[in-house]
Every structure is written in C-alpha cells, then in structure tokens.
Amino acid sequence: MTEPDRPRHLGVCYYPEHWSEDQWAEDAARMVAIGLTYVRIGEFAWSRLEPEPGKMDWDWLDRAIAVLGGAGLQVVLGTPTATPPRWMLTRHSDMLAVDAQGRPRGFGSRRHYCFSHRGYREDCARIVTLLAERYGRNPHVAAWQTDNEYGCHDTTVSYSPSALTAFRNWLARKYQSPQALNRAWGNVFWSMEYASFEDIGLPNLTVTEANPAHVMDFRRFASDEVVSFNKLQTDIIRRYTDAPIAHNYMGRIVDFDHFDVGADLDIASWDSYPLGFLSDRLEADEAFKLRFLRQGHPDFQAFHHDLYRAVGRGRWWVMEQQPGPVNWAPYNPDPLPGMARLWAWEAFAHGAEAVCYFRWRQAPFAQEQMHAGLLRPDSAPAPAYHATEQVAGELKAMPLTDIAPAPVALVFDYPSAWAWSIQPQGKDFDYFRLAFAMYRGLRQLGLSVDILPASARDFTGYGLVLVPGLFTLPEGLAAALQASGAEIVAGPRTNSKTPDFSIPVPLPPALPGLDCRIARVESLPAAAPVPLAGGGAFVGWRERLEGTAETVIRAEDGTSAVVRSGRMTYVGGWPDEVALARILGEAAHRAGVTVTPMPEGVRQRDTKTHRFYFNYNPEPVVFNGNELPAAGVLWTPRTT
C-alpha cells in the first residue's frame, strides 16, 4: 500500500480554554520555535462554546484560532460531541449509555452518551453545523477531527431504551420478517422464536449465554450506529469546507468497524500511548513487561500504524503521542530518554503525515493532571519538549519517508473480533491477540507488513498473505486470494462459521483447492501445550484435521497440525513463537521473500529510500553492522 509523497510534520494538542488568554501568544510562539506545524484544539470545549442552551460564545475561540494561526500554526479543529455539557442531560434525560448490567453511564467525566439517542444526535448536528459554518473557510483551520476516541471507556455498546428501539428497527430492515430472523438465528433451539420484532430484546441480562447470532447482530448494529453517528458529522462539515477530516482511534479497540467509519473520513489517526498500552491492554509475562517498561512493546505501535494506514487508505496521523508518564494505566513509568524521538520516527517510517504530542502543557487540575505534556505545569520544558525539537530538526534534513510496498500482507477483520469474543470456546481465545501474534512473528523475521481489510480484493505484489482467524470469508475474498499468486497462510478458525454464526457444511475451512476439514476442535489451558514434531507447540487451541491435503507439520502424537495444497497452507492450531517462526519462515521461503531474524527488541522498517532500525532495548545493540543506541533509532540509505 503506497501513498503520494507528502511532507511530514509535528504537532501538539492544546486547550486554550484551560489557560489565561495572556499565555496564548507566548505558547504559540514557543510551539513554532521548536518546529511544530499543527495544533489540535476544541474537542472538549462544548460547555465554553454553549454555556447555556442556545447561548453561543464564539469570541474566545475566534481569538484563539487567530492567535495560533497568526503565529504560523495550522489548526486541527475538533467537534466537541464527546463531552456534552451538563445542561444536555436536562434536555435529554435518557441520553446516557447503559452498560450490560443495566446501569447508566453517568455525567462527571466524558463520553456520557448513547450513539442511538436521536435527540442527542440532533444537538450534535446543530453544534457541528454552527462550527462548520463559522470556521469552515477560516484559512487557519487546516483539518477537522470528529468527536474523540470512539469506543474509549467501553462506550460503543449500549443497552439503553434508545438502543433497543434502534436495534429492532435495524433488524426489521435486515430481515423483513420475524420468520426470516428466526431461521437465520436458529431460534428453534431452546424455544427462542419470535412472533414480532417488538418482542426482541437486547442480549444482556439473560440467564446464561445469549444466542450467539443474536449477539453478533447486536454488535453489527452497534458498529453501524458509530458509523452513522460519524457520518452525520462528516456530511455536515463537508458542506462548508474542503479541509480533510480525521477521527482519532485508539489501540486495541475493536468494538466497532474502523474501516466502515474510515470510509467517510479523509485521514485515519490514532492515539499512541506505548507505556500505558503495555501496562493495561497487552498480555505478556512479567519479565517482558519489566524489560520494556519504559519503552513499550516493540510491535504494538507498528501494528496500529499499519492498521490505520489501511483504515485511512494511505493517509494517517498520530493525533496523540505519549510524551511522558500518563495518568490512566495501572502503572505509569517515565519513558527512557530517546523514546519520544523513537516513537515519532517509527510513525514516520510507517507513513504517518503528522505526529502530534499530547499535550502542550500538563494540566494542574481535574482527571488528567498527572498526565505529562511537553511543558510542566509551570511552563518549564519537560523532557519530550527537547525530543520534539530534535525530531523537528531532523525532519528538515529528511522530510520524506514514504513507505515502500511491503512484501507481506495480513488481513484484519473487526467482525471476527466480535465473533470470537461472543464464542471464544476457550477463555484465552482472542482475535486481536491472534492477529497481533501473527504480525509480531512477521516483524521478528525482519519483514515490513501491510494490513488489509477483509473487503480487499487485490493482493497484487504480495508474496505472502496471512488470514488468521477470519470468522467467515466474505464473497469474493477466497477467489481473490487464489488468483493473487501469493503464498496464503490461513487459520486457525479461518472461515469456520457462516455469516449467521452457524457451522457450515461442507465443514470448515472450505478454502479453495485445499482438501481439509476440521473434524473437531479443543481449547486447552496454557499448561497443556500440544508439542509439534520438529519443535514448537500449539497452545490454547487445536483442531483435528481430515482430508487429503499434504501434512507439512505433525503433532508429536502423529496427527496433522499444518497442511498444504499448492500455495494454500492451513494452520490447525495456535502456534507458539517457535512454531510460528517455522511456519512463517517456510511460507516466506516458498514465496521468495527474504527474512532477517531480528534480535529481541530490535525491529526494522523499509521506506522507499531508507531502512530504519528501532532499538526498543534499554542497552545498545550491534546488528547488521550497525550500532543501535539504547532506546534509539537509526536509518541508512537503501541500496536496492
């Protein structure tokens, strides 16, 4: 996946409403002096823009944009819909999201709304229209951001009365009749048949697990609500401006389909917090977490860079980059010196147009007062201030880092994440974790990777394509994979359900040209691995395979573990790192893709002109003739 040559920029998130107006000009001048281009503002400012219903106060924002733009900064203006003011709850007392236990998500922080509440949507449309009318042609407003971090704080799925009404309408449009719905869901089981769409409830508070097809449709519906909520805003903004529109996604948030939301955006962005994410949302043993405590996981940021490059169809930013300790993780260490620079350059090496640090000045009040910024609360520089200045100077010397086509692609699918959370079959089976393990295995072999959606139909140029755990193959994908000429590695659990969440017949995986059937599956505790002949093991998940496809790896008990026909390989279990290196290394060899096994904590990424090396280790490493500084980045010109 390539993109046009674009200059790379640095930016920062700023909240003029938090500071005395006397500080604005000095802040703007300092931003420009250290090399910042973009400044994001406004995404939490609704109560200051509209302190009372219908009473607008634009003057302060007019002046803030004029000060920032006058200093030479380009403004990214956020819509404030993630933080409706308190008076909004008086207007819409039923607008709050409701959790799975039936408890409303109350006022006092942020994201306190249900995507399905139509009255709140009308107020969102009103404030976005007013913003876009006023600033859509402002020469200082260079880009827009919708809302803030959809899905943060588990707010995608709501079990509110508004969601119930909207879900029933969604089902009626999809199925047209209750009888069709009953057939699709298999409601003859346990006498769950419905005579009317009005009889259907939300899939929470059931005695035991709800029908998985019911839950899957509810998850599809919830994702569609996010998509339509975002589209409401983008449609309005585009009536008043030609500036690009972005949304800032997060790390390991799979509750809604980011590709579907991204279809209505110009730029995908995400909020990168390597230390917080290592602490609060990544499975790893304690020794690993301690080793990378102050650097972050060597692959987590890169995975999301590649994912959001796909969501943005080549255009993507880091809208919030961690500059120091954060406030929200179980533990909040200070990054090692050099990491703020490394994280920025890693983003640029993966094609980012901009990296914006969060935030300019550490707030001395409220929930995020322990979150570091580029400045301390007393306005003295924090460590990342100087790192930002250094990266800005380096960008002037090498502003273009356009990515080269990757030799390998990995198909990533949000509905598959919903499916395996609904029916994991084993408590450790998690789709994101599986896809990330495959991605990490590729990176450990020194490979650059493109991530593609399941809607992709053109795999031209890829030598190797991975399709792990895909719930069901959408129409046309199997034929596109077969026609690609690439080596394909699928499984485990790939194509194992119908779109209606049933086991298909013929039995899975039903991949083109592969005579293989999954006769039985088992999930196993970590203490019961399935050893593979020649090294490595399956952990947590194993499938019993039948058919005439060639067995290329057997379990030590003699059963088929990995099978192949032609260019199609199927992996009948969850491989550990040793087994995965075997499987991916052999597939890369067959595809003619050169691998370079990497030392622990060292990764490489190719652009059109350079090879970048990133050392996440706390000590220097010598690799491939290059001395990589501790927590450092190095790049060399590419010769081929």
Side-chain angles (χ1 to χ4, degrees):
M1 184 180 301
T2 60
E3 57 177 308
D5 290 353
R6 294 189 182 94
R8 308 305 176 187
H9 298 282
L10 293 174
V12 73
C13 305
Y14 186 57
Y15 301 93
E17 68 271 26
H18 293 179
W19 313 109
S20 167
E21 191 166 341
D22 294 342
Q23 291 181 276
W24 295 353
E26 180 183 352
D27 284 342
R30 293 180 75 182
M31 293 175 194
V32 171
I34 65 169
L36 301 181
T37 301
Y38 291 108
V39 56
R40 184 190 69 164
I41 67 172
E43 77 274 16
F44 299 131
W46 198 336
S47 67
R48 288 299 175 94
L49 293 173
E50 191 175 13
E52 299 175 24
K55 181 181 178 181
M56 308 305 300
D57 182 2
W58 301 108
D59 290 349
W60 70 270
L61 186 55
D62 291 346
R63 295 192 300 273
I65 291 174
V67 168
L68 296 167
L73 294 162
Q74 298 181 49
V75 172
V76 180
L77 185 57
T79 66
T81 53
T83 53
R86 179 60 186 84
W87 57 257
M88 190 69 72
L89 271 73
T90 301
R91 175 177 288 187
H92 304 297
S93 60
D94 59 345
M95 65 172 280
L96 297 172
V98 175
D99 71 13
Q101 287 71 48
R103 301 170 300 197
R105 311 294 297 275
F107 183 83
S109 57
R110 63 180 184 177
R111 301 215 56 79
H112 43 278
Y113 67 84
C114 174
F115 284 101
S116 298
H117 194 279
R118 269 40 191 178
Y120 180 59
R121 286 195 181 204
E122 291 175 3
D123 271 307
C124 291
R126 180 179 56 81
I127 190 68
V128 172
T129 300
L130 292 171
L131 270 174
E133 285 177 337
R134 192 172 190 93
Y135 302 111
R137 298 298 176 187
N138 187 301
H140 301 313
V141 177
W144 291 74
Q145 176 189 294
T146 57
D147 202 89
N148 185 79
E149 296 180 341
Y150 294 142
C152 191
H153 317 306
D154 298 318
T155 50
T156 297
V157 177
S158 171
Y159 298 88
S160 70
S162 297
L164 174 60
T165 298
F167 181 49
R168 288 170 173 169
N169 291 336
W170 186 93
L171 292 172
R173 290 192 298 272
K174 177 175 181 178
Y175 292 104
Q176 299 295 304
S177 73
Q179 293 75 24
L181 179 147
N182 286 329
R183 289 192 297 272
W185 287 8
N187 282 338
V188 65
F189 193 81
W190 284 355
S191 294
M192 296 182 295
E193 290 165 302
Y194 298 102
S196 166
F197 289 111
E198 294 305 307
D199 293 337
I200 300 172
L202 299 177
N204 66 320
L205 302 177
T206 53
V207 174
T208 184
E209 66 180 292
N211 184 335
H214 185 170
V215 185
M216 189 67 180
D217 265 344
F218 183 60
R219 296 298 298 273
R220 291 181 177 119
F221 153 79
S223 179
D224 284 354
E225 291 291 89
V226 180
V227 174
S228 63
F229 182 88
N230 184 74
K231 188 175 189 300
L232 173 75
Q233 299 197 25
T234 59
D235 285 351
I236 293 168
I237 294 168
R238 285 206 170 90
R239 291 203 295 266
Y240 300 97
T241 183
D242 298 321
I245 308 171
H247 176 75
N248 56 328
Y249 303 100
M250 292 195 69
R252 199 174 180 171
I253 296 293
V254 295
D255 294 343
F256 63 94
D257 195 318
H258 295 36
F259 291 108
D260 287 350
V261 170
D264 297 311
L265 299 168
D266 302 297
I267 298 170
S269 73
W270 81 288
D271 296 348
S272 174
Y273 291 94
L275 306 191
F277 290 153
L278 177 67
S279 181
D280 90 329
R281 64 193 64 184
L282 276 169
E283 299 87 355
D285 61 46
E286 285 306 307
F288 181 94
K289 286 195 171 186
L290 283 173
R291 178 164 182 78
F292 296 102
L293 178 71
R294 299 181 186 277
Q295 306 97 281
H297 194 293
D299 299 299
F300 192 78
Q301 290 67 246
F303 177 91
H304 288 86
H305 296 340
D306 290 335
L307 173 62
Y308 291 126
R309 189 175 68 255
V311 170
R313 302 175 301 283
R315 296 197 66 184
W316 75 277
W317 294 17
V318 174
M319 194 64 81
E320 297 182 15
Q321 177 62 65
Q322 179 173 359
V326 298
N327 63 294
W328 44 264
Y331 302 99
N332 297 289
D334 199 10
L336 284 183
M339 289 311 301
R341 172 176 175 260
L342 182 152
W343 294 329
W345 273 112
E346 187 169 45
F348 291 131
H350 286 255
E353 294 178 28
V355 173
C356 302
Y357 289 95
F358 185 91
R359 50 189 283 163
W360 174 245
R361 181 185 292 105
Q362 182 176 347
F365 48 77
Q367 284 93 327
E368 294 183 349
Q369 61 183 272
M370 299 302 290
H371 193 303
L374 297 186
L375 300 182
R376 303 183 325 200
D378 63 0
S379 295
Y385 179 97
H386 300 295
T388 303
E389 193 171 30
Q390 179 181 358
V391 174
E394 291 168 339
L395 281 172
K396 290 181 180 179
M398 192 180 73
L400 297 179
T401 55
D402 295 283
I403 60 171
V408 180
L410 183 146
V411 175
F412 186 83
D413 181 56
Y414 289 93
S416 296
W418 313 334
W420 305 138
S421 69
I422 294 165
Q423 195 177 75
Q425 185 62 13
K427 74 173 188 176
D428 295 331
F429 200 102
D430 176 90
Y431 174 76
F432 177 91
R433 194 164 65 88
L434 174 65
F436 182 58
M438 296 289 179
Y439 179 87
R440 186 183 183 192
L442 293 169
R443 293 254 295 171
Q444 287 174 327
L445 294 175
L447 294 171
S448 297
V449 184
D450 284 341
I451 294 179
L452 301 178
S455 60
R457 296 296 179 269
D458 184 3
F459 296 91
T460 303
Y462 295 111
L464 174 62
V465 179
L466 271 60
V467 193
L470 195 64
F471 169 65
T472 188
L473 264 64
E475 184 177 355
L477 178 58
L481 290 170
Q482 190 174 28
S484 69
E487 289 289 321
I488 310 299
V489 176
R493 284 190 103 166
T494 297
N495 206 30
S496 59
K497 300 288 182 179
T498 71
D500 293 324
F501 220 119
S502 298
I503 299 173
V505 177
L507 291 176
L511 296 170
L514 185 77
D515 181 21
C516 173
R517 292 169 299 284
I518 300 172
R520 191 167 72 256
V521 303
E522 58 179 343
S523 57
L524 301 163
V530 178
L532 303 180
F538 285 161
V539 289
W541 185 266
R542 182 198 197 180
E543 300 167 357
R544 302 285 184 163
L545 306 179
E546 296 178 348
T548 61
E550 176 191 2
T551 298
V552 293
I553 296 180
R554 292 188 182 275
E556 287 188 353
D557 62 12
T559 59
S560 296
V562 179
V563 299
R564 179 188 303 136
S565 288
R567 294 191 299 269
M568 180 71 69
T569 298
Y570 186 81
V571 182
W574 189 311
D576 66 6
E577 286 195 13
V578 173
L580 186 59
R582 290 177 62 193
I583 294 165
L584 296 182
E586 168 63 16
H589 175 74
R590 286 172 56 85
V593 173
T594 301
V595 302
T596 308
M598 307 298 293
E600 182 185 27
V602 175
R603 297 292 184 264
Q604 65 184 27
R605 174 74 194 191
D606 287 336
T607 70
K608 291 178 180 176
T609 56
H610 290 78
R611 171 162 288 176
F612 282 76
Y613 298 94
F614 301 97
N615 181 18
Y616 272 78
N617 292 293
E619 65 278 326
V621 173
V622 176
F623 173 69
N624 205 20
N626 297 291
E627 185 171 344
L628 310 180
V633 55
L634 181 147
W635 54 84
T636 60
R638 292 185 65 190
T639 57
T640 59

